[in-house]
Structure formats: structure tokens, C-alpha cells
């Protein structure tokens, strides 16, 4: 049994249900007991985060998520709060029915959604409509209730999963509760950390005191903050690798320059740029450390390839004859390679074997082209898409986006918990490419270089975004990046 760390282990909905069942069957913990523990953990969280709340409105669905809601409402009544409970459907299961009876035993009265408009304003909303059981877009009264919760001016505590968010994929098939915070039970569901998962707000895990024996191998893991170890004292520029950044056709040199800068700031010993963009070539005097060289084709590229230990291939490369010729020659060199941007587009038009150590860094659209599906299909199940791409090219894949995923060729998946919307700006992808190449150059294996690189990139962006997300530029990441990669407080 692999070592567990519930702080970072992520599970699918099916795994979560299997763990629930194992707790009931093998440990003999009744479902109602689990529900009771879930509710008391959620209520304690409510009181801790909103100690001044006096009137709570709980919206219950007909399943066990609703059951949790009845018991939160029961706890709130017992604690002297005013409670309005809206029941969208009668409880289907025994545990949920029992939970409703416990609520009513304290004088609680479940009301229909039609009563919503006549209720006194609540200072707190509890979303107990759907949890891991969501199986399609909310419709009818569930949809109306979700829209009413979102329209209210009160903070929202979601139980287990915000209703309308898939616990499996982080996709929202329809309307979704926008929660201020989510109390998730027993294990972290992987859909709470990628794609549209920002609707969960602050996620708090409550394990309900279950022993590790009910667990199983997680489906994925959250990245943890890490840096590179201090440099060896006898380190010299040759011992930290040589990144060759290849790209920048006429007039599109900015991207490859960003990648080269990032590789330098990540600590690569040497970086050189193979390009034919005049602006980058003109930088030689001002920025000798970028060592830009004009290349007109494979012949002039080859001696640079021979000296390089790692390639960053694709930014600004274009897909015309020049770019294609360099792309083919570079991949034939079988050096550890980060393939990005046009390097990925060329792979789509000419699928081929890749270097043994390759990291692909597609955004959802590039992944969709490589997989022959729509971008919507990729986003509908990012975990499956990242795994499929990694398996197809037997490479490490970074599927960028909210909650970037890193998949190894062997099917491991890590999820990035950092980052912000300010990152949706030009050059961010090129910077990531350079960071990963810089880590490969310093001896990281592909999957580790991709995980560490994605984490450093997003954490640097979060530090830089402290001055505002709008106007965040890729270059703003380079100073915090240097602090973070060295483990220095940024
Ligand atoms: N199982 C346990 O011991 C524990 C479960 N906990 C909570 O239970 C939910 C999961 O409950 P479940 O009954 O499986 O499903 P939901 O309550 O999430 O959904 C109810 C029900 O609704 C149907 N449904 C789903 N989507 C739709 C839709 N769009 N439109 C209409 N109907 C829909 C579907 O049939 C579902 O069964 C889990 O999240 C926890 O909150 C306890 O917390 C811990 C113990
Ligand atoms: K919910």
C-alpha cells in the first residue's frame, strides 16, 4: 500500500464512494455515523469561519449530500441559530431520511423552494444539493436553487462539493454554486483542484477520523512547494547544463528570448539561442549570456546541438520550411527536450518518435489537436486527456490551464494548486518552457522537472500578482522565480 498523505492525495468520485463503503463495511461504521461526523465537521467549520452568523439557510437535495445538510441544520438549531431549510426533494435513502427526522425532532421544518422569497434574509448559505453524486447539469428546482444561492449576498459553505461541479473532472455541466468555502469529507476529490474548481472557494478536508486502512492508492496528487538543493561548492557553469533554445523565426523572436531568459533564471549553466530573428540576434552585445546565434538551417544548427545538453524547442518557431527543418534536426538529436508552441503544432501535423526524455507543454487547444478531439472534450476530462497524451507519445505532459496537470508516461498525475488569472498573458507559456528546460539542464528527470517547473512558475506568478493580476507580465516572474528555485523567501 503506497504511503498516504491525505493532505495532497486526490481521488475520483468512484474511489471516494468505495472508501465510504469500505468504512461502513470493514470498519462497521454506519453511513449515518459518517453523515453525523461530516455534518459536525462542517458545522464547526461554519462557526469558526463565520462566528457572527445568526441565521443560516440550508438547501438540501434528495441524496446523502442533502442528508449532511439536514444534520448541519440540526446542529445549528441545537446551537441556537435561526435556521431555514429548503428541501428540493424528499430524502431518498434511509440515512438521509433519518437525518431529516433528526432535524425535525429539534423543531426544524423543511420548506419548499417556493418559500424562498418569503424567508428572512440569512447571513449564511449552506449548499447540500449535490455532492459526489452529480451526474448531469442541474435542472428544474435544483437549478433555480443554485441561482438563488448565487444571487444571495451571503457567504456560501458547500458540503463536500459545490453543487454543479463534477468531483471527478472539475467541469461544470450546467449551473454551479459559487462557494466561499467547501468542507470536503474523508478524501480530497480531484475535481476540486482543476478546470472550473475555483467555484469551490477555500477547500478544507475533514477526514472524519477514518484510519488509513480504508484508503487506496490515490488517483493523483497535489504538488507541494519545493526548490532545488543548494549548489555544490565546486559547481561551475558546465555542471549545470547547457540549454539550447530553438525558435524565433523572422519577427517572432520574443517567445524564444523569454524561454532563454527563464532557463537562465532557473539556473541553467549555459543558455544559447538558435534563431533567425534579427531583434534577438542584435541582443548579443547587450545580453551575451543569451548567446544568440543566427541559424539558417540544419547545417548551422548541428554544431549548436552537439554542444547542448537540453533543448527548448518551439517558441516562435513557426511551421514553415525553416522551422520544420530545425524541428526535425533537433528531435533527431535525441536530447532531453521541452516541446512547446509550434513544436507541438508540427508534431500534430507530423506525429513522430520523440527523444527519450521529452516534456510536452500544451495548452488545452494544442492538446486537443494532438489528441484529435475538441478543446471542450479535453476540458471535460483533463485527467483523461493528460494521461492519453502522455501515453500516446510516451512523454511527460503538462496540460496547462486552471489547475495545470502534469502526467508522466507511466500515468502518474500531479495537480498544481497555485496560479492566478494574471497568467493568461503572452510569454507565460514561453517562460514555463524555459523553466522546465533549466531544470532538466540541472539534472532533474522529466516528470520531476515538469512538476517542479509548473510549481515554481505558478508560485512565482502568485508572488508577482501581489501587485495586481492585471498587467502581470511574464518578465515579472523572473525575480520571484530566482528566490523560489533557491528556496529563498520570495
Ligand atoms: N456515502 C456515505 O457514507 C457518505 C456520503 N456523504 C455525502 O453523500 C454525498 C453523495 O451522496 P449521493 O446520495 O451519492 O449523491 P448526491 O447527494 O451527491 O446526489 C443526490 C442524487 O441526485 C441525483 N442527481 C445527481 N445529479 C443530478 C441532476 N443534475 N439532476 C437531478 N438529479 C441528480 C443522483 O441520483 C444522486 O444520487 C457525498 O457527496 C457526501 O456529501 C457523507 O458526507 C459522508 C458519508
Ligand atoms: K454540495
Amino acid at each position: 500500500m503506497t504511503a498516504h498523505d491525505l493532505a495532497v492525495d486526490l481521488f475520483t468520485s468512484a474511489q471516494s464512494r468505495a472508501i465510504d463503503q469500505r468504512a461502513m463495511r470493514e470498519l462497521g461504521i454506519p453511513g449515518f455515523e459518517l453523515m453525523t461526523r461530516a455534518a459536525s465537521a462542517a458545522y464547526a467549520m461554519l462557526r469558526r469561519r463565520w462566528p457572527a452568523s445568526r441565521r443560516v439557510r440550508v438547501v438540501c437535495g434528495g441524496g446523502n449530500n442533502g442528508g449532511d445538510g439536514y444534520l448541519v441544520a440540526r446542529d445549528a438549531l441545537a446551537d441556537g441559530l435561526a435556521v431555514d431549510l429548503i428541501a428540493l426533494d424528499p430524502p431518498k435513502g434511509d440515512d438521509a431520511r433519518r437525518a431529516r427526522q433528526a432535524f425535525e425532532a429539534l423543531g426544524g421544518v423543511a420548506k419548499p423552494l417556493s418559500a424562498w422569497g418569503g424567508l428572512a434574509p440569512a447571513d449564511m448559505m449552506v449548499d447540500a444539493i449535490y455532492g459526489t453524486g452529480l451526474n448531469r447539469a442541474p435542472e428544474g428546482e435544483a437549478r433555480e436553487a443554485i441561482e438563488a444561492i448565487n444571487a444571495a449576498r451571503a457567504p456560501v459553505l458547500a458540503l463536500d462539493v459545490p453543487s454543479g461541479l463534477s468531483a471527478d473532472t472539475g467541469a461544470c455541466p450546467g449551473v454551479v454554486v459559487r462557494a466561499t468555502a467547501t468542507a470536503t469529507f474523508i478524501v480530497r476529490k480531484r475535481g476540486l483542484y482543476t478546470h472550473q474548481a475555483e467555484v469551490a472557494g477555500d477547500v478544507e478536508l475533514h477526514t472524519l477520523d477514518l484510519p488509513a486502512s480504508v484508503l487506496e492508492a490515490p488517483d493523483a496528487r497535489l504538488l507541494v512547494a519545493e526548490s532545488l538543493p543548494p549548489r555544490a561548492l565546486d559547481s561551475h557553469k558546465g555542471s549545470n547544463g547547457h540549454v539550447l533554445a530553438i525558435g524565433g523565426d523572422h519577427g517572432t523572436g520574443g517567445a524564444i528570448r523569454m524561454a532563454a531568459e527563464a532557463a537562465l533564471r532557473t539556473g541553467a549553466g549555459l543558455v544559447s539561442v538558435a534563431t533567425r530573428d534579427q531583434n534577438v540576434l542584435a541582443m548579443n552585445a547587450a545580453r551575451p549570456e543569451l548567446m544568440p546565434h543566427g541559424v539558417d538551417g540544419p547545417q548551422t544548427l548541428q554544431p549548436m546541438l552537439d554542444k547542448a545538453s537540453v533543448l527548448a524547442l518551439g517558441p516562435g518557431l513557426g511551421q514553415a520550411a525553416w522551422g520544420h527543418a530545425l524541428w526535425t534536426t533537433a528531435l533527431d538529436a535525441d536530447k532531453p527536450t521541452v516541446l512547446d508552441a509550434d513544436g507541438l503544432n508540427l508534431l500534430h501535423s507530423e506525429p513522430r518518435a520523440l527523444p527519450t526524455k521529452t516534456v510536452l507543454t500544451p495548452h488545452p487547444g494544442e492538446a486537443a489537436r494532438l489528441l484529435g478531439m475538441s478543446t471542450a472534450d479535453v476540458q471535460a476530462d483533463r485527467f483523461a486527456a493528460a494521461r492519453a497524451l502522455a501515453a500516446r507519445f510516451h512523454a511527460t505532459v503538462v496540460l496547462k490551464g486552471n489547475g495545470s496537470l502534469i502526467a508522466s508516461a507511466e500515468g502518474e498525475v500531479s495537480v498544481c494548486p497555485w496560479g492566478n488569472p494574471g497568467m493568461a498573458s503572452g510569454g507565460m507559456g514561453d517562460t514555463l518552457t524555459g523553466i522546465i528546460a533549466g531544470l532538466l539542464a540541472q539534472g532533474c528527470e522529466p516528470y520531476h522537472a515538469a512538476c517542479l517547473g509548473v510549481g515554481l512558475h505558478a508560485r512565482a506568478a502568485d508572488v508577482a500578482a501581489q501587485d495586481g493580476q492585471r498587467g502581470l507580465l511574464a518578465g515579472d516572474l523572473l525575480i520571484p522565480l530566482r528566490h523560489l528555485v533557491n528556496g529563498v523567501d520570495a
Side-chain angles (χ1 to χ4, degrees), residues 16-17 19-21 23-24 29-39 61-69 89 92-93 95-96 128-140 142 159-161 163-164 167 173 183-186 189 208:
S16 171
R17 276 193 288 276
I19 290 165
D20 286 352
Q21 291 306 318
M24 291 183 259
I29 303 176
F32 188 73
E33 168 59 20
L34 289 176
M35 202 172 269
T36 302
R37 292 185 195 179
N64 284 338
N65 195 247
D68 295 347
D89 293 298
K92 278 189 291 197
D95 293 339
I129 303 170
Y130 299 127
T132 53
L134 181 85
N135 56 29
R136 61 189 187 278
E139 55 211 16
L159 301 188
D160 208 24
V161 186
S163 299
T184 200
F185 308 121
I186 305 180
K189 289 81 184 173
L208 309 191

Side-chain angles (χ1 to χ4, degrees), residues 432-460:
L432 175 62
T433 296
I435 292 170
I436 296 172
L439 294 170
L440 288 170
Q442 296 175 81
C444 294
E445 286 304 307
Y447 185 63
H448 181 227
C451 288
L452 178 53
V454 167
L456 289 169
H457 180 253
R459 288 162 63 206

Side-chain angles (χ1 to χ4, degrees), residues 43 46-47 49-56 80-82 123-124 155:
Y43 184 67
L46 187 155
R47 299 300 291 150
R49 291 181 76 114
W50 296 284
S53 59
R54 288 288 169 271
R55 178 175 285 274
V56 177
L81 270 63
D123 50 36
M124 188 72 228

Side-chain angles (χ1 to χ4, degrees), residues 336-351:
T337 298
V338 184
L339 198 55
D340 184 28
D342 288 323
L344 295 170
N345 294 328
L346 286 163
L347 181 64
H348 161 61
S349 43
E350 187 183 318

